[in-house]
């Protein structure tokens, strides 16, 4: 290490074990969010298939109402549990008066949830809970890919900076 220092290169240790464990923990949190969103999305999709089938082949109104309210409840869980990342970021952006992409995403999620609740309460046909929960899943998946790409880019820049000579 001293020889390399004399040549002008700074010697840095490999990433700290704690930092790697923190990154793994962050990845696990992301994957848990995506997993919960995927399970909810699959369940609301199953209910949507049943509702669409009932629309064409007949379904008792009480059964239809039960499936609609259940799908709406699952969509609400999808928005407020795994999707709260977008809501929290939007709230922070509005408080700091620096809006970014999470603001319209959050507005769209809340509007879709409100529209589904309004349609269900009126006894209408379209709840679209499966679309809402699938949107949350796809948004979270995209954000995770972005998160990982940014982390890899940061690591590459740090590696390049470590390889450059100090003088």
């Amino acid at each position: 290490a001293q020889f390399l220092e004399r040549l002008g290169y700074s010697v840095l240790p490999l990433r700290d074990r704690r930092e790697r464990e923190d990154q793994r923990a962050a990845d696990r949190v992301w994957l848990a969010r995506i997993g919960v969103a995927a399970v909810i999305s699959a369940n609301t999709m199953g209910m949507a298939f049943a509702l669409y089938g009932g629309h064409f082949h007949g379904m008792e109104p009480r059964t239809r109402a039960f499936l609609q309210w259940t799908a709406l409840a699952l969509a609400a869980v999808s928005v407020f549990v795994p999707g709260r990342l977008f809501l929290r970021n939007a709230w922070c952006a509005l408080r700091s008066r620096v809006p970014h992409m999470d603001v319209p995403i959050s507005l769209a999620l809340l509007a879709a949830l409100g529209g589904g609740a309004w349609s269900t309460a009126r006894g209408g046909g379209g709840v679209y809970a499966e679309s809402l929960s699938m949107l949350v899943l796809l948004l979270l998946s995209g954000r995770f890919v972005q998160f990982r790409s940014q982390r890899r880019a940061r690591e590459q820049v740090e590696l390049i900076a470590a390889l450059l000579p100090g003088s």
Side-chain angles (χ1 to χ4, degrees):
Q2 291 173 349
F3 174 73
L4 290 175
E5 289 282 343
R6 277 185 272 141
L7 292 175
Y9 293 96
S10 58
V11 179
L12 300 173
L14 289 176
R15 271 188 278 145
D16 186 52
R17 176 181 227 166
R18 185 175 205 188
E19 182 182 344
R20 286 182 299 199
E21 289 173 2
D22 290 344
Q23 288 178 353
R24 285 191 193 123
D27 285 348
R28 280 193 298 273
V29 168
W30 273 102
L31 292 175
R33 273 189 204 126
I34 292 170
V36 169
V39 167
I40 292 171
S41 182
N43 283 302
T44 56
M45 195 67 69
M47 288 179 200
F49 283 136
L51 287 167
Y52 292 138
H55 178 72
F56 293 113
H57 299 291
M59 180 182 278
E60 188 177 314
R62 285 178 25 173
T63 305
R64 181 171 46 86
F66 173 75
L67 287 175
Q68 285 178 333
W69 281 109
T70 305
L72 183 65
L74 285 174
V77 169
S78 179
V79 169
F80 292 117
V81 176
R84 80 172 171 258
L85 169 78
F86 303 110
L87 300 174
R88 186 179 58 233
N89 289 345
W91 178 250
C92 290
L94 290 174
R95 274 194 351 211
S96 64
R97 296 184 181 166
V98 183
H100 52 72
M101 200 58 209
D102 285 342
V103 174
I105 287 173
S106 297
L107 288 174
L109 292 176
L110 293 174
L113 190 61
W118 177 258
S119 177
T120 301
R122 279 190 20 224
V127 179
Y128 304 111
E130 74 282 0
S131 301
L132 180 58
S133 58
M134 184 60 74
L135 179 63
V136 171
L137 172 64
L138 293 174
L139 287 169
L140 283 172
S141 299
R143 187 64 59 94
F144 178 63
V145 169
Q146 176 189 6
F147 170 74
R148 295 280 304 256
S149 297
Q150 287 174 340
R151 185 171 67 197
R152 279 194 203 113
R154 186 176 56 249
E155 289 171 355
Q156 295 299 318
V157 168
E158 289 171 359
L159 179 62
I160 290 172
L163 293 176
L164 292 174
S167 57

